[in-house]
Amino acid sequence: MAHWILVVLFFYFITTVFLRIKSKNKRNEKEYKILVVLGSGGHTTEMLGLVNGIFKNIQKKINFTFVIASSDQTSLPKLRSRNEFSDSPVLKLPRSREVHQSYFTSIFTTLNATLFAFKICFSENPNIIISNGPGTCIPIIISSKILQVLTMTQTKIVYVESFARTKTLSLSGKIAYKIVDKFIVQWKTRLPKYPKAIYLGNLI
């Protein structure tokens, strides 16, 4: 019985993936879907500045969807205060690790967040994922990368290290550096140690 259940689930997964790829191939080439991961405090301020630049300077129709931690109380008001993003969809993700949470228990909360992230990445199927360092981004990045391998999606992951990181990468940055498609730093001094990084100057 268990064998047949697995077979049915497998074919369901393959069918869903096929329909997703077929749907993606029909997507309007002039329309982009971007998933943006926000973090509380300075991360959100920086990211909103970045995506505002994208919104103003790219001559394509862009549909932004934002992801915030479920316990984040500050990012949503900041987002809604921007007229260009006042109606953009917002998805909530369980936080991987709360402030002062032990590293041991954070293993389980991160796994829980990753399961939610899989659902978000699969259902949204964005062209691009952009993040700049909050811990919330790691489950999204890992989930999207796994889905790239399993479903051959074309989602590109772009990580922009925070401007505040002048000497060292954040923990999220150190993890993301090994996974993402494009890793951008805002300080040229980071390039010798991280040769795959791209320096574009101050993006804020």
Side-chain angles (χ1 to χ4, degrees):
M1 183 66 180
H3 170 74
W4 285 108
I5 293 175
L6 290 175
V7 170
V8 171
L9 289 175
F10 173 77
F11 277 104
Y12 173 78
F13 176 76
I14 294 299
T15 302
T16 305
V17 168
F18 173 79
L19 292 175
R20 174 58 50 78
I21 294 173
K22 186 177 180 180
S23 174
K24 185 177 179 64
N25 290 337
K26 292 182 178 179
R27 181 180 287 168
N28 188 336
E29 292 182 357
K30 294 183 179 180
E31 183 176 318
Y32 263 65
K33 190 172 187 179
I34 299 181
L35 187 71
V36 181
V37 185
L38 298 179
S40 57
H43 284 111
T44 289
T45 302
E46 281 190 31
M47 182 54 71
L48 290 178
L50 288 173
V51 295
N52 186 58
I54 296 172
F55 180 83
K56 289 182 177 179
N57 294 300
I58 295 183
Q59 301 302 312
K60 288 177 181 272
K61 181 179 179 181
I62 302 176
N63 295 318
F64 287 98
T65 297
F66 294 86
V67 177
I68 65 174
S70 56
S71 59
D72 185 350
Q73 301 297 317
T74 61
S75 293
L76 188 58
K78 288 182 180 180
L79 176 66
R80 294 308 187 212
S81 68
R82 306 277 184 126
N83 291 332
E84 61 271 33
F85 305 127
S86 59
D87 297 322
S88 297
V90 175
L91 305 174
K92 293 191 176 183
L93 183 72
R95 195 182 288 272
S96 299
R97 182 174 181 268
E98 298 288 353
V99 177
H100 303 309
Q101 181 181 348
S102 72
Y103 286 106
F104 176 74
T105 58
S106 67
I107 294 173
F108 303 101
T109 52
T110 298
L111 288 174
N112 179 54
T114 302
L115 290 176
F116 276 84
F118 266 110
K119 181 180 179 181
I120 290 174
C121 292
F122 188 73
S123 61
E124 292 299 316
N125 190 27
N127 294 94
I128 301 172
I129 292 174
I130 303 178
S131 178
N132 68 335
T136 307
C137 77
I138 296 303
I140 293 289
I141 289 173
I142 292 174
S143 300
S144 180
K145 201 64 180 181
I146 292 174
L147 287 174
Q148 283 183 26
V149 175
L150 292 179
T151 69
M152 303 299 289
T153 61
Q154 300 299 312
T155 299
K156 298 298 181 183
I157 309 170
V158 179
Y159 183 96
V160 183
E161 184 60 286
S162 173
F163 180 77
R165 287 290 174 171
T166 61
K167 297 181 179 180
T168 61
L169 297 185
S170 62
L171 177 58
S172 297
K174 291 175 182 177
I175 296 172
Y177 179 76
K178 302 175 182 178
I179 304 174
V180 300
D181 299 292
K182 300 294 181 182
F183 189 94
I184 299 172
V185 294
Q186 301 187 63
W187 293 92
K188 200 171 184 178
T189 52
R190 299 294 88 224
L191 294 179
K193 190 172 182 179
Y194 300 97
K196 291 193 300 181
I198 301 170
Y199 171 69
L200 297 178
N202 183 353
L203 302 177
I204 302 176

Coordinates of all heavy atoms in Angstrom, one line a residue, residues 68-118:
I68 N 8.3 38.5 4.2 CA 8.7 39.0 5.5 C 8.6 37.9 6.6 O 7.8 36.9 6.4 CB 8.0 40.2 6.0 CG1 6.5 39.9 6.2 CG2 8.1 41.3 5.0 CD1 5.7 41.1 6.8
A69 N 9.4 38.0 7.7 CA 9.2 37.0 8.8 C 7.9 37.2 9.5 O 7.4 38.4 9.6 CB 10.4 37.2 9.7
S70 N 7.3 36.2 9.9 CA 6.0 36.3 10.6 C 6.0 37.1 11.8 O 5.0 37.7 12.2 CB 5.5 34.9 10.9 OG 6.4 34.2 11.7
S71 N 7.1 37.2 12.5 CA 7.2 38.0 13.7 C 7.8 39.5 13.4 O 7.9 40.2 14.4 CB 8.2 37.4 14.7 OG 9.5 37.2 14.2
D72 N 8.0 39.8 12.2 CA 8.5 41.1 11.8 C 7.3 42.1 11.8 O 6.4 42.0 11.1 CB 9.1 41.0 10.4 CG 9.7 42.3 10.0 OD1 9.6 43.4 10.6 OD2 10.4 42.3 8.9
Q73 N 7.5 43.1 12.7 CA 6.4 44.1 12.9 C 6.7 45.4 12.2 O 5.9 46.3 12.2 CB 6.2 44.4 14.4 CG 5.8 43.1 15.2 CD 4.5 42.6 14.8 OE1 3.5 43.3 14.5 NE2 4.4 41.2 14.6
T74 N 7.9 45.6 11.6 CA 8.3 46.9 11.1 C 8.4 47.0 9.6 O 8.2 48.0 9.0 CB 9.7 47.3 11.7 OG1 10.7 46.3 11.2 CG2 9.7 47.3 13.2
S75 N 8.6 45.8 8.9 CA 8.8 45.9 7.5 C 7.5 46.2 6.7 O 7.6 47.0 5.7 CB 9.4 44.5 7.0 OG 10.7 44.3 7.5
L76 N 6.4 45.7 7.1 CA 5.2 45.9 6.4 C 4.8 47.4 6.3 O 4.4 47.9 5.3 CB 4.0 45.0 6.9 CG 2.7 45.0 6.1 CD1 3.0 44.6 4.7 CD2 1.7 44.1 6.8
P77 N 4.8 48.1 7.5 CA 4.5 49.5 7.4 C 5.4 50.3 6.5 O 5.0 51.2 5.8 CB 4.6 50.0 8.9 CG 4.4 48.7 9.7 CD 5.0 47.6 8.9
K78 N 6.7 50.0 6.5 CA 7.7 50.6 5.6 C 7.3 50.4 4.2 O 7.4 51.3 3.3 CB 9.1 50.2 5.9 CG 9.7 50.7 7.2 CD 11.1 50.2 7.4 CE 11.7 50.7 8.7 NZ 13.1 50.2 8.9
L79 N 7.0 49.1 3.9 CA 6.6 48.8 2.5 C 5.4 49.5 2.0 O 5.4 50.1 0.9 CB 6.4 47.2 2.4 CG 6.0 46.7 1.1 CD1 7.0 46.9 0.0 CD2 5.6 45.2 1.2
R80 N 4.4 49.5 2.9 CA 3.1 50.1 2.5 C 3.2 51.6 2.4 O 2.4 52.3 1.8 CB 2.0 49.7 3.5 CG 1.6 48.3 3.4 CD 1.3 47.8 2.1 NE 0.8 46.4 2.0 CZ 1.0 45.6 1.0 NH1 1.7 46.0 0.0 NH2 0.5 44.4 1.0
S81 N 4.2 52.2 3.0 CA 4.4 53.7 2.9 C 4.9 54.1 1.5 O 4.9 55.3 1.2 CB 5.4 54.1 4.0 OG 6.7 53.7 3.8
R82 N 5.4 53.1 0.8 CA 5.9 53.4 -0.6 C 4.7 53.2 -1.6 O 4.2 52.1 -1.7 CB 7.0 52.4 -1.0 CG 8.2 52.4 0.0 CD 9.1 53.6 -0.3 NE 10.3 53.5 0.5 CZ 11.6 53.5 0.1 NH1 11.8 53.5 -1.2 NH2 12.6 53.5 0.9
N83 N 4.3 54.3 -2.2 CA 3.2 54.2 -3.1 C 3.3 53.1 -4.2 O 2.3 52.5 -4.5 CB 2.9 55.6 -3.8 CG 2.5 56.6 -2.8 OD1 1.9 56.3 -1.8 ND2 2.8 57.9 -3.1
E84 N 4.5 52.9 -4.7 CA 4.7 52.0 -5.8 C 4.5 50.5 -5.3 O 4.3 49.6 -6.2 CB 6.1 52.2 -6.5 CG 7.2 52.0 -5.5 CD 7.7 53.2 -4.8 OE1 6.8 54.1 -4.5 OE2 8.9 53.4 -4.6
F85 N 4.6 50.3 -4.0 CA 4.5 48.9 -3.5 C 3.3 48.8 -2.5 O 3.2 47.8 -1.8 CB 5.7 48.5 -2.8 CG 7.0 48.7 -3.6 CD1 8.1 49.4 -3.1 CD2 7.1 48.1 -4.8 CE1 9.2 49.5 -3.9 CE2 8.2 48.2 -5.6 CZ 9.3 48.9 -5.1
S86 N 2.4 49.8 -2.6 CA 1.3 49.8 -1.6 C 0.3 48.6 -1.8 O -0.3 48.1 -0.8 CB 0.5 51.1 -1.7 OG 0.0 51.2 -3.0
D87 N 0.3 48.0 -3.0 CA -0.6 46.9 -3.3 C 0.1 45.6 -3.6 O -0.5 44.6 -4.0 CB -1.5 47.3 -4.5 CG -2.5 48.5 -4.2 OD1 -2.9 48.5 -3.1 OD2 -2.7 49.3 -5.1
S88 N 1.4 45.6 -3.4 CA 2.2 44.4 -3.7 C 1.9 43.3 -2.8 O 1.7 43.5 -1.6 CB 3.7 44.7 -3.7 OG 4.0 45.7 -4.7
P89 N 1.8 42.0 -3.2 CA 1.5 40.9 -2.3 C 2.6 40.7 -1.3 O 3.8 40.9 -1.6 CB 1.4 39.7 -3.3 CG 1.2 40.3 -4.6 CD 1.9 41.6 -4.6
V90 N 2.2 40.4 -0.1 CA 3.2 40.1 1.0 C 2.9 38.7 1.5 O 1.8 38.4 1.9 CB 3.1 41.2 2.1 CG1 4.0 40.8 3.2 CG2 3.4 42.6 1.6
L91 N 4.0 37.9 1.6 CA 3.9 36.5 2.1 C 4.7 36.5 3.4 O 5.8 37.1 3.5 CB 4.4 35.5 1.1 CG 3.8 35.5 -0.2 CD1 4.5 34.6 -1.2 CD2 2.3 35.2 -0.2
K92 N 4.2 35.7 4.4 CA 4.9 35.6 5.7 C 5.5 34.3 5.8 O 4.9 33.2 5.5 CB 3.9 35.9 6.8 CG 3.5 37.4 6.9 CD 2.8 37.7 8.1 CE 2.4 39.2 8.2 NZ 1.7 39.6 9.4
L93 N 6.7 34.3 6.4 CA 7.5 33.1 6.6 C 7.9 33.0 8.0 O 8.4 34.0 8.6 CB 8.8 33.1 5.7 CG 9.7 31.9 5.7 CD1 9.1 30.7 4.9 CD2 11.0 32.3 5.0
P94 N 7.8 31.8 8.7 CA 8.3 31.6 10.1 C 9.8 32.0 10.1 O 10.6 31.6 9.2 CB 8.1 30.2 10.4 CG 7.0 29.7 9.4 CD 7.2 30.5 8.2
R95 N 10.2 32.7 11.1 CA 11.5 33.2 11.3 C 12.5 32.0 11.6 O 12.1 31.1 12.4 CB 11.7 34.2 12.4 CG 13.0 35.0 12.3 CD 13.1 35.9 13.5 NE 12.2 37.1 13.3 CZ 12.5 38.2 12.7 NH1 13.7 38.3 12.1 NH2 11.7 39.2 12.6
S96 N 13.6 31.9 10.9 CA 14.6 30.8 11.1 C 15.1 30.8 12.5 O 15.3 29.8 13.2 CB 15.7 30.9 10.1 OG 15.2 30.8 8.8
R97 N 15.5 32.0 13.0 CA 16.1 32.2 14.3 C 15.7 33.5 14.9 O 16.0 34.6 14.3 CB 17.6 32.0 14.2 CG 18.3 32.1 15.6 CD 19.8 31.7 15.4 NE 20.5 31.8 16.7 CZ 21.1 32.9 17.2 NH1 21.1 34.0 16.5 NH2 21.7 32.8 18.4
E98 N 15.2 33.5 16.1 CA 14.9 34.7 16.8 C 16.1 35.2 17.5 O 17.1 34.5 17.7 CB 13.8 34.5 17.8 CG 12.5 34.0 17.3 CD 11.7 35.1 16.5 OE1 12.2 36.3 16.6 OE2 10.7 34.8 15.9
V99 N 16.1 36.5 17.9 CA 17.3 37.1 18.6 C 17.5 36.3 19.9 O 16.5 36.0 20.6 CB 17.0 38.6 18.9 CG1 18.2 39.2 19.7 CG2 16.8 39.3 17.6
H100 N 18.7 36.0 20.2 CA 19.1 35.2 21.4 C 18.6 33.8 21.5 O 18.8 33.1 22.5 CB 18.6 36.0 22.7 CG 19.1 37.4 22.8 ND1 20.4 37.8 22.7 CD2 18.4 38.5 23.0 CE1 20.5 39.1 22.8 NE2 19.3 39.6 23.0
Q101 N 18.0 33.3 20.4 CA 17.6 31.9 20.3 C 18.9 31.0 20.2 O 19.9 31.4 19.5 CB 16.7 31.6 19.1 CG 16.2 30.2 19.1 CD 15.4 29.9 17.8 OE1 14.9 30.9 17.2 NE2 15.1 28.7 17.5
S102 N 18.9 29.9 20.9 CA 20.1 29.0 20.9 C 20.3 28.4 19.5 O 19.3 28.2 18.7 CB 19.9 27.9 21.9 OG 19.0 26.9 21.4
Y103 N 21.5 28.1 19.1 CA 21.8 27.6 17.8 C 21.2 26.2 17.7 O 20.8 25.8 16.6 CB 23.3 27.5 17.6 CG 23.9 28.9 17.3 CD1 24.7 29.6 18.3 CD2 23.7 29.5 16.1 CE1 25.2 30.8 18.0 CE2 24.2 30.8 15.8 CZ 25.0 31.4 16.8 OH 25.5 32.7 16.5
F104 N 21.2 25.4 18.8 CA 20.6 24.1 18.7 C 19.1 24.1 18.3 O 18.7 23.4 17.4 CB 20.8 23.4 20.0 CG 20.2 22.0 20.0 CD1 20.7 20.9 19.3 CD2 19.0 21.7 20.7 CE1 20.2 19.7 19.3 CE2 18.4 20.5 20.7 CZ 19.0 19.4 20.0
T105 N 18.3 24.9 19.0 CA 16.9 25.0 18.7 C 16.6 25.7 17.4 O 15.6 25.4 16.7 CB 16.1 25.7 19.8 OG1 16.7 27.1 19.9 CG2 16.3 25.0 21.1
S106 N 17.6 26.5 16.9 CA 17.4 27.2 15.6 C 17.5 26.2 14.5 O 17.0 26.5 13.4 CB 18.4 28.3 15.5 OG 19.7 27.8 15.3
I107 N 18.1 25.0 14.7 CA 18.1 24.0 13.6 C 16.7 23.6 13.3 O 16.3 23.5 12.1 CB 18.9 22.7 14.1 CG1 20.4 23.1 14.3 CG2 18.8 21.6 13.1 CD1 21.2 22.0 14.9
F108 N 15.9 23.4 14.3 CA 14.5 23.0 14.1 C 13.6 24.1 13.5 O 12.8 23.8 12.6 CB 13.9 22.4 15.4 CG 14.7 21.3 16.0 CD1 15.6 21.5 17.0 CD2 14.6 20.0 15.4 CE1 16.4 20.5 17.5 CE2 15.4 19.0 16.0 CZ 16.3 19.2 17.0
T109 N 13.8 25.3 14.0 CA 13.0 26.4 13.5 C 13.4 26.7 12.0 O 12.6 27.1 11.2 CB 13.2 27.6 14.3 OG1 14.6 27.9 14.5 CG2 12.5 27.4 15.7
T110 N 14.7 26.5 11.7 CA 15.1 26.7 10.3 C 14.5 25.7 9.4 O 14.1 26.0 8.3 CB 16.7 26.7 10.2 OG1 17.2 27.7 11.0 CG2 17.1 26.8 8.8
L111 N 14.5 24.4 9.8 CA 13.8 23.4 9.0 C 12.3 23.7 8.8 O 11.8 23.5 7.7 CB 14.0 22.0 9.7 CG 15.4 21.4 9.7 CD1 15.4 20.1 10.6 CD2 15.8 21.1 8.3
N112 N 11.7 24.2 9.8 CA 10.3 24.5 9.7 C 10.1 25.7 8.7 O 9.2 25.6 7.8 CB 9.7 24.9 11.0 CG 8.3 25.3 11.0 OD1 7.4 24.6 10.5 ND2 8.0 26.6 11.5
A113 N 11.0 26.7 8.8 CA 10.9 27.8 7.9 C 11.2 27.3 6.4 O 10.6 27.8 5.5 CB 11.9 28.9 8.3
T114 N 12.1 26.4 6.3 CA 12.4 25.9 4.9 C 11.3 25.2 4.3 O 11.0 25.3 3.1 CB 13.6 24.9 5.0 OG1 14.8 25.6 5.6 CG2 14.1 24.5 3.6
L115 N 10.5 24.5 5.0 CA 9.3 23.8 4.5 C 8.3 24.9 3.9 O 7.7 24.7 2.9 CB 8.6 22.9 5.6 CG 9.4 21.7 6.0 CD1 8.6 21.0 7.1 CD2 9.5 20.7 4.8
F116 N 8.1 25.9 4.7 CA 7.2 27.0 4.2 C 7.8 27.7 3.0 O 7.1 28.1 2.1 CB 7.1 28.1 5.4 CG 6.0 27.7 6.3 CD1 6.2 26.9 7.4 CD2 4.7 28.2 6.2 CE1 5.2 26.5 8.3 CE2 3.7 27.9 7.1 CZ 4.0 27.1 8.2
A117 N 9.2 27.8 3.0 CA 9.9 28.5 1.9 C 9.7 27.7 0.6 O 9.6 28.2 -0.5 CB 11.3 28.6 2.2
F118 N 9.7 26.3 0.7 CA 9.5 25.5 -0.5 C 8.2 25.8 -1.1 O 8.0 26.0 -2.4 CB 9.5 24.0 -0.1 CG 10.9 23.4 -0.3 CD1 11.6 23.0 0.8 CD2 11.4 23.2 -1.5 CE1 12.9 22.4 0.7 CE2 12.6 22.6 -1.7 CZ 13.4 22.2 -0.6

